[in-house]
PDB file of all heavy atoms in Angstrom:
ATOM      1  N   LYS A 687     -33.540  -0.739  10.761  1.00  0.00           N
ATOM      2  CA  LYS A 687     -33.452  -1.072   9.337  1.00  0.00           C
ATOM      3  C   LYS A 687     -33.348  -2.577   9.148  1.00  0.00           C
ATOM      4  O   LYS A 687     -33.891  -3.131   8.201  1.00  0.00           O
ATOM      5  CB  LYS A 687     -32.248  -0.371   8.715  1.00  0.00           C
ATOM      6  CG  LYS A 687     -32.034  -0.630   7.228  1.00  0.00           C
ATOM      7  CD  LYS A 687     -32.783   0.340   6.357  1.00  0.00           C
ATOM      8  CE  LYS A 687     -32.852  -0.057   4.889  1.00  0.00           C
ATOM      9  NZ  LYS A 687     -31.625   0.200   4.144  1.00  0.00           N
ATOM     10  N   GLY A 706     -42.474 -18.086  -9.078  1.00  0.00           N
ATOM     11  CA  GLY A 706     -42.098 -19.449  -9.420  1.00  0.00           C
ATOM     12  C   GLY A 706     -41.346 -20.215  -8.351  1.00  0.00           C
ATOM     13  O   GLY A 706     -40.985 -21.360  -8.561  1.00  0.00           O
ATOM     14  N   ARG A 714     -42.919 -19.774   9.390  1.00  0.00           N
ATOM     15  CA  ARG A 714     -43.066 -19.092  10.672  1.00  0.00           C
ATOM     16  C   ARG A 714     -41.846 -18.201  10.903  1.00  0.00           C
ATOM     17  O   ARG A 714     -40.777 -18.449  10.366  1.00  0.00           O
ATOM     18  CB  ARG A 714     -43.179 -20.109  11.807  1.00  0.00           C
ATOM     19  CG  ARG A 714     -44.354 -21.041  11.667  1.00  0.00           C
ATOM     20  CD  ARG A 714     -44.447 -21.944  12.872  1.00  0.00           C
ATOM     21  NE  ARG A 714     -44.761 -21.184  14.076  1.00  0.00           N
ATOM     22  CZ  ARG A 714     -45.999 -20.848  14.424  1.00  0.00           C
ATOM     23  NH1 ARG A 714     -47.013 -21.188  13.675  1.00  0.00           N
ATOM     24  NH2 ARG A 714     -46.218 -20.176  15.533  1.00  0.00           N
ATOM     25  N   HIS A 715     -42.039 -17.211  11.730  1.00  0.00           N
ATOM     26  CA  HIS A 715     -40.923 -16.327  12.020  1.00  0.00           C
ATOM     27  C   HIS A 715     -40.465 -16.506  13.457  1.00  0.00           C
ATOM     28  O   HIS A 715     -41.281 -16.603  14.362  1.00  0.00           O
ATOM     29  CB  HIS A 715     -41.314 -14.866  11.787  1.00  0.00           C
ATOM     30  CG  HIS A 715     -40.156 -13.933  11.975  1.00  0.00           C
ATOM     31  ND1 HIS A 715     -39.986 -13.200  13.114  1.00  0.00           N
ATOM     32  CD2 HIS A 715     -39.100 -13.661  11.178  1.00  0.00           C
ATOM     33  CE1 HIS A 715     -38.867 -12.497  13.008  1.00  0.00           C
ATOM     34  NE2 HIS A 715     -38.317 -12.755  11.841  1.00  0.00           N
ATOM     35  N   SER A 716     -39.153 -16.543  13.642  1.00  0.00           N
ATOM     36  CA  SER A 716     -38.615 -16.685  14.995  1.00  0.00           C
ATOM     37  C   SER A 716     -37.998 -15.364  15.429  1.00  0.00           C
ATOM     38  O   SER A 716     -36.994 -14.916  14.884  1.00  0.00           O
ATOM     39  CB  SER A 716     -37.558 -17.797  15.005  1.00  0.00           C
ATOM     40  OG  SER A 716     -36.606 -17.542  16.014  1.00  0.00           O
ATOM     41  N   GLU A1029     -41.994  -4.766 -10.446  1.00  0.00           N
ATOM     42  CA  GLU A1029     -41.946  -5.989  -9.652  1.00  0.00           C
ATOM     43  C   GLU A1029     -43.302  -6.296  -9.019  1.00  0.00           C
ATOM     44  O   GLU A1029     -43.577  -7.416  -8.624  1.00  0.00           O
ATOM     45  CB  GLU A1029     -40.909  -5.873  -8.531  1.00  0.00           C
ATOM     46  CG  GLU A1029     -39.479  -5.787  -9.000  1.00  0.00           C
ATOM     47  CD  GLU A1029     -39.123  -4.421  -9.533  1.00  0.00           C
ATOM     48  OE1 GLU A1029     -39.908  -3.467  -9.317  1.00  0.00           O
ATOM     49  OE2 GLU A1029     -38.084  -4.300 -10.205  1.00  0.00           O
ATOM     50  N   ILE A1090     -33.762   5.477 -16.196  1.00  0.00           N
ATOM     51  CA  ILE A1090     -33.230   4.135 -16.311  1.00  0.00           C
ATOM     52  C   ILE A1090     -34.422   3.219 -16.380  1.00  0.00           C
ATOM     53  O   ILE A1090     -35.334   3.324 -15.573  1.00  0.00           O
ATOM     54  CB  ILE A1090     -32.380   3.764 -15.093  1.00  0.00           C
ATOM     55  CG1 ILE A1090     -31.158   4.662 -15.032  1.00  0.00           C
ATOM     56  CG2 ILE A1090     -31.945   2.311 -15.163  1.00  0.00           C
ATOM     57  CD1 ILE A1090     -30.373   4.487 -13.771  1.00  0.00           C
ATOM     58  N   PRO A1157     -55.117  -4.009 -19.223  1.00  0.00           N
ATOM     59  CA  PRO A1157     -56.081  -3.307 -20.069  1.00  0.00           C
ATOM     60  C   PRO A1157     -57.276  -2.796 -19.275  1.00  0.00           C
ATOM     61  O   PRO A1157     -57.726  -1.695 -19.489  1.00  0.00           O
ATOM     62  CB  PRO A1157     -56.497  -4.358 -21.072  1.00  0.00           C
ATOM     63  CG  PRO A1157     -55.370  -5.319 -21.110  1.00  0.00           C
ATOM     64  CD  PRO A1157     -54.738  -5.296 -19.761  1.00  0.00           C
TER      65      PRO A1157
ATOM     66  N   LYS B1294     -36.186  -7.821 -16.402  1.00  0.00           N
ATOM     67  CA  LYS B1294     -36.214  -7.296 -15.042  1.00  0.00           C
ATOM     68  C   LYS B1294     -37.088  -8.173 -14.158  1.00  0.00           C
ATOM     69  O   LYS B1294     -36.781  -8.397 -12.986  1.00  0.00           O
ATOM     70  CB  LYS B1294     -36.722  -5.855 -15.038  1.00  0.00           C
ATOM     71  CG  LYS B1294     -36.820  -5.204 -13.651  1.00  0.00           C
ATOM     72  CD  LYS B1294     -35.540  -4.498 -13.235  1.00  0.00           C
ATOM     73  CE  LYS B1294     -35.508  -4.086 -11.759  1.00  0.00           C
ATOM     74  NZ  LYS B1294     -36.264  -2.894 -11.450  1.00  0.00           N
ATOM     75  N   TYR B1312     -32.856 -14.000   9.162  1.00  0.00           N
ATOM     76  CA  TYR B1312     -33.702 -12.981   9.754  1.00  0.00           C
ATOM     77  C   TYR B1312     -34.863 -13.611  10.518  1.00  0.00           C
ATOM     78  O   TYR B1312     -35.826 -12.941  10.835  1.00  0.00           O
ATOM     79  CB  TYR B1312     -34.243 -12.053   8.675  1.00  0.00           C
ATOM     80  CG  TYR B1312     -33.245 -11.024   8.193  1.00  0.00           C
ATOM     81  CD1 TYR B1312     -32.450 -11.270   7.085  1.00  0.00           C
ATOM     82  CD2 TYR B1312     -33.107  -9.806   8.853  1.00  0.00           C
ATOM     83  CE1 TYR B1312     -31.543 -10.320   6.641  1.00  0.00           C
ATOM     84  CE2 TYR B1312     -32.206  -8.851   8.413  1.00  0.00           C
ATOM     85  CZ  TYR B1312     -31.426  -9.114   7.309  1.00  0.00           C
ATOM     86  OH  TYR B1312     -30.538  -8.162   6.874  1.00  0.00           O
ATOM     87  N   GLY B1313     -34.783 -14.894  10.767  1.00  0.00           N
ATOM     88  CA  GLY B1313     -35.775 -15.538  11.610  1.00  0.00           C
ATOM     89  C   GLY B1313     -36.904 -16.245  10.892  1.00  0.00           C
ATOM     90  O   GLY B1313     -37.784 -16.802  11.542  1.00  0.00           O
ATOM     91  N   GLY B1315     -38.648 -19.190   9.041  1.00  0.00           N
ATOM     92  CA  GLY B1315     -38.423 -20.632   8.979  1.00  0.00           C
ATOM     93  C   GLY B1315     -38.725 -21.173   7.600  1.00  0.00           C
ATOM     94  O   GLY B1315     -39.753 -21.808   7.385  1.00  0.00           O
ATOM     95  N   SER B1322     -39.858 -23.089 -10.191  1.00  0.00           N
ATOM     96  CA  SER B1322     -40.604 -23.586 -11.333  1.00  0.00           C
ATOM     97  C   SER B1322     -40.545 -22.572 -12.461  1.00  0.00           C
ATOM     98  O   SER B1322     -41.106 -21.474 -12.369  1.00  0.00           O
ATOM     99  CB  SER B1322     -42.058 -23.833 -10.928  1.00  0.00           C
ATOM    100  OG  SER B1322     -42.894 -23.681 -12.040  1.00  0.00           O
ATOM    101  N   TRP B1339     -51.501  -5.563 -25.110  1.00  0.00           N
ATOM    102  CA  TRP B1339     -52.896  -5.148 -25.225  1.00  0.00           C
ATOM    103  C   TRP B1339     -53.028  -3.677 -24.850  1.00  0.00           C
ATOM    104  O   TRP B1339     -53.708  -2.906 -25.541  1.00  0.00           O
ATOM    105  CB  TRP B1339     -53.748  -6.039 -24.329  1.00  0.00           C
ATOM    106  CG  TRP B1339     -55.178  -5.627 -24.236  1.00  0.00           C
ATOM    107  CD1 TRP B1339     -55.859  -5.269 -23.128  1.00  0.00           C
ATOM    108  CD2 TRP B1339     -56.116  -5.550 -25.326  1.00  0.00           C
ATOM    109  NE1 TRP B1339     -57.141  -4.957 -23.443  1.00  0.00           N
ATOM    110  CE2 TRP B1339     -57.330  -5.124 -24.787  1.00  0.00           C
ATOM    111  CE3 TRP B1339     -56.021  -5.789 -26.704  1.00  0.00           C
ATOM    112  CZ2 TRP B1339     -58.471  -4.927 -25.563  1.00  0.00           C
ATOM    113  CZ3 TRP B1339     -57.163  -5.595 -27.483  1.00  0.00           C
ATOM    114  CH2 TRP B1339     -58.359  -5.170 -26.909  1.00  0.00           C
ATOM    115  N   GLU B1630     -27.910  -4.649   4.930  1.00  0.00           N
ATOM    116  CA  GLU B1630     -28.709  -5.878   4.833  1.00  0.00           C
ATOM    117  C   GLU B1630     -27.833  -7.110   4.646  1.00  0.00           C
ATOM    118  O   GLU B1630     -28.276  -8.221   4.877  1.00  0.00           O
ATOM    119  CB  GLU B1630     -29.693  -5.786   3.655  1.00  0.00           C
ATOM    120  CG  GLU B1630     -30.779  -4.750   3.807  1.00  0.00           C
ATOM    121  CD  GLU B1630     -30.283  -3.339   3.612  1.00  0.00           C
ATOM    122  OE1 GLU B1630     -29.178  -3.155   3.050  1.00  0.00           O
ATOM    123  OE2 GLU B1630     -30.972  -2.395   4.042  1.00  0.00           O
ATOM    124  N   ILE B1669     -28.754   5.318  -8.871  1.00  0.00           N
ATOM    125  CA  ILE B1669     -28.031   6.150  -9.838  1.00  0.00           C
ATOM    126  C   ILE B1669     -28.923   7.225 -10.444  1.00  0.00           C
ATOM    127  O   ILE B1669     -28.463   8.280 -10.847  1.00  0.00           O
ATOM    128  CB  ILE B1669     -27.393   5.236 -10.926  1.00  0.00           C
ATOM    129  CG1 ILE B1669     -26.092   5.844 -11.412  1.00  0.00           C
ATOM    130  CG2 ILE B1669     -28.327   5.016 -12.072  1.00  0.00           C
ATOM    131  CD1 ILE B1669     -24.922   5.525 -10.560  1.00  0.00           C
TER     132      ILE B1669
END
Side-chain angles (χ1 to χ4, degrees):
Chain A
K687 180 88 193 282
R714 300 184 66 84
H715 184 259
S716 151
E1029 293 77 13
I1090 296 172
Chain B
K1294 179 90 192 282
Y1312 282 93
S1322 152
W1339 174 240
E1630 293 75 17
I1669 212 84

